[in-house]
Amino acid sequence: MKNSNYFILSLYILLLINGCKSVVNKQIKKNSIVEEVETKTPPFEYRRSEPDSILLKRFLGHYKDIYNKDSTQLNYYSAEIFYEKDSIFKVINLYGEYVGAIYNPFAESHIAYRDNLYKEYISGETFRIDKVSPSKYLLYTDDYNRLSSNFHFYNVTFNNDSIVIEETTEHKNFIYNFIDKKKESMDNYLEDIKNSRKLAGNELYQLGIDSTKVEVNEKYYRSPDAFLSRENPYYYGSIYYRQKYGDETMKVLQFNHNDTIKEITLGIVGGDSDSYKMTSEFVNDSIFIQSLVNQETIVDTNDTMGYAFDSIVTKFKYNERFELDTISKDTFKYKKYQFKKYGVPAENHIYYSKPFKINNLECYWKTTLEIIFDDNKKPLKARDIIRKLVNSKTRKIILISKPDMIIGDKKSLFYSLSDDFKDFNFDGFLDFSIYNSTSSGASHAFYDNYIFNPKTRKFDYSKKLSGSEITVDNKLITITLYYNMGRSYHLEHIIRYDLKGKILFEEKFVEELFKEKNSEEYYYLKTYQKIKNNKIILRKTEKDKNLSR
């Protein structure tokens, strides 16, 4: 009986322990559910298919309920969507002002990602987003107060259904985002000066210019252009014009950062009839380019006007303090002749490439093209484009290309076309291949190919290799010529060389489309030829009625 009672007591204790454990587990589970509910994202959802205007309207309508903001202290009046191209998320910049204060604005950045709007947000307006990794982004914000900007930077990391926001000090040159005019020219400088205020005395002193040393014919004007679209206490840029000796005007940027002043020339115009001009461009947040063009009249007759242009393009790397570091300096030359042809305005342009070395010869390209105009003086397509490769030392022409009708980017006319030089016959000298748009058709790409002759030190046009696309295989020591005339004709011509550039043998694979006699059926006639010493030593043909290609 005692044993029985002991067993019953043990069983009761065991059940009691398991029951308590179950209650504890249920409570833990319940607590975890409560915890999940507390951290769950707000009920407001961002729908990717929704137009931005509707999204903003819904956001402003739900905003106070989601974030429990005190409406007696804050007044929200606007919002806008901000995101970079191909961004996986959008930022909703919310704008407002503090109630009772005279113009005391604020902004907030809210993040919509994977159809959800998150509780975590950033104080300030987001104006730039940099992708750091597929799941990490750097947000640039301006937490402004009244008329002053306060820039901050945040790393935002996306983890499935959550985000982590951390402030950081690392960033790129964000001042680029606020540059009002990224391209500068001197086209309207006279009108700008007319609308500008002449500077003297204390204003010159503020620019760091000693007014006692300013010459009589030297004048300074404050430019009406603002350099930065957003004023702030850390960076300040002002622009002024300087006229000197009556025929030169400069547009100068003076940039102040932490009381360190830098000056950068944005534009210049001067000389007789504005014969030299400088333009400039802030290309991105690290590259600044100055382009100086000198113009000279070389022909002036009743029938023709001719001009020569020398362009010096200097590329700089710059930082947020606008310190310049020269990356490269290139000189480009071309000439332009204006005349009438058959009573219609026309122009001849001559471009000179930068010097380069090919097969130990110093060379440059001289490219000529003719441009005709319509009745409204708008240029039509160029025609009669001819490239000449000139030996820089002897001035002799060592290659003349076949005429073409279409040109792409004019900047290519200033370069060496180095990618078009390859050794086609494995003799150790580079040859030349160039696409001919005039000869090419919709189904066939036509290339003009030129072989270098080491005896004459010139490039000779190769009729045998031209008219096709050419591929070089340095491992097999072969070139492959491919001809395609639509569905009706295909030719693959393989030429095998030895290590000294001598042809060992050739192979041709031809497919021609024919129609059966007295039938509506078609077939391909496939022909194989092996050629040695210009003689066919093997020939095979076969019919192929499988027309699927």
Side-chain angles (χ1 to χ4, degrees), residues 277-288:
K277 291 182 180 180
M278 174 188 282
T279 59
S280 63
E281 180 181 2
F282 291 95
V283 179
N284 52 40
D285 58 16
S286 62
I287 301 299
F288 172 69

Side-chain angles (χ1 to χ4, degrees), residues 287-439:
I287 301 299
F288 172 69
I289 293 178
Q290 289 177 334
S291 301
L292 178 63
V293 179
N294 294 295
Q295 175 184 319
E296 178 186 358
T297 302
I298 54 177
V299 176
D300 186 358
T301 67
N302 293 332
D303 300 323
T304 305
M305 287 295 298
Y307 306 94
F309 301 87
D310 287 335
S311 300
I312 302 174
V313 179
T314 308
K315 183 184 290 186
F316 299 94
K317 186 175 183 179
Y318 76 101
N319 55 26
E320 59 187 14
R321 296 180 297 278
F322 282 80
E323 297 167 327
L324 299 184
D325 184 18
T326 303
I327 298 174
S328 63
K329 181 178 286 189
D330 293 320
T331 300
F332 305 99
K333 297 183 178 182
Y334 76 99
K335 296 177 182 177
K336 179 174 69 174
Y337 296 89
Q338 297 173 328
F339 54 95
K340 283 192 175 183
K341 190 172 185 177
Y342 309 119
V344 178
E347 291 181 355
N348 273 344
H349 292 245
I350 303 175
Y351 294 84
Y352 298 85
S353 77
K354 294 190 296 183
F356 62 96
K357 183 175 285 189
I358 198 75
N359 295 332
N360 291 321
L361 297 176
E362 293 285 348
C363 305
Y364 63 87
W365 286 107
K366 179 181 177 181
T367 305
T368 62
L369 57 92
E370 181 179 292
I371 299 177
I372 56 176
F373 296 82
D374 61 16
D375 294 337
N376 297 320
K377 296 184 179 181
K378 290 185 178 180
L380 303 175
K381 68 180 181 180
R383 51 184 289 181
D384 295 334
I385 299 168
I386 298 176
R387 297 180 188 266
K388 296 179 181 179
L389 188 61
V390 182
N391 186 318
S392 301
K393 292 183 179 180
T394 64
R395 303 296 179 183
K396 291 183 178 180
I397 298 171
I398 59 177
L399 187 155
I400 301 180
S401 70
K402 296 290 183 179
D404 201 355
M405 295 285 287
I406 300 173
I407 198 70
D409 185 2
K410 285 187 178 180
K411 290 182 180 178
S412 66
L413 302 177
F414 293 114
Y415 295 100
S416 63
L417 305 178
S418 57
D419 291 340
D420 295 325
F421 285 96
K422 296 177 183 178
D423 186 0
F424 297 143
N425 56 359
F426 303 94
D427 63 351
F429 295 97
L430 294 178
D431 308 301
F432 183 69
S433 176
I434 189 168
Y435 178 75
N436 191 310
S437 59
T438 302
S439 301

Side-chain angles (χ1 to χ4, degrees), residues 442-458:
S443 61
H444 179 58
F446 193 110
Y447 285 79
D448 294 314
N449 298 318
Y450 302 81
I451 302 299
F452 183 74
N453 187 332
K455 293 182 179 179
T456 62
R457 300 170 74 83
K458 292 183 178 181

